[in-house]
Amino acid sequence: MAARARRERERRYLPGIADVRVCGTEETVKAVLDVLDREFRTTSAREYDGGQRVYLDLDAGCTDPDTD
C-alpha cells in the first residue's frame, strides 16, 4: 500500500500559540480536549481518523518573541 500524500498546510509561528495534536481513543481525545478548553483558549479541534486524532491551536498567553 502506497503512503498517503502529506497535505501541505500553512505554518504559523506566533508567540504563545502552540500547534497541538492529540491522538488516542475517542473518549481519551474528548477528555483531553475538555481539559484544554477549560484551561486555555483554543481553536476548534479539526478531527481526523474518525475522532481518534485531532489538531488545534492553543493560546498559552506567552507574548515573548519566537526565536525560531
Side-chain angles (χ1 to χ4, degrees), residues 37-49:
D37 189 47
R38 194 169 50 241
E39 299 296 326
F40 298 97
R41 279 181 270 154
T42 66
T43 60
S44 297
R46 300 174 304 278
E47 290 188 6
Y48 295 88
D49 295 338

Side-chain angles (χ1 to χ4, degrees), residues 22 24-27 29-30 33 47-54:
V22 180
T25 65
E26 194 171 340
E27 295 81 20
V29 169
K30 183 179 179 336
L33 291 177
E47 290 188 6
Y48 295 88
D49 295 338
Q52 293 186 344
R53 181 178 302 169
V54 297

Side-chain angles (χ1 to χ4, degrees), residues 6-40:
R6 291 184 65 97
R7 182 176 57 100
E8 289 297 319
R9 62 188 178 111
E10 177 185 340
R11 298 225 183 245
R12 294 175 286 155
Y13 296 100
L14 302 172
I17 304 298
D19 187 24
V20 179
R21 178 177 70 176
V22 180
C23 302
T25 65
E26 194 171 340
E27 295 81 20
T28 301
V29 169
K30 183 179 179 336
V32 170
L33 291 177
D34 288 346
V35 170
L36 291 177
D37 189 47
R38 194 169 50 241
E39 299 296 326
F40 298 97

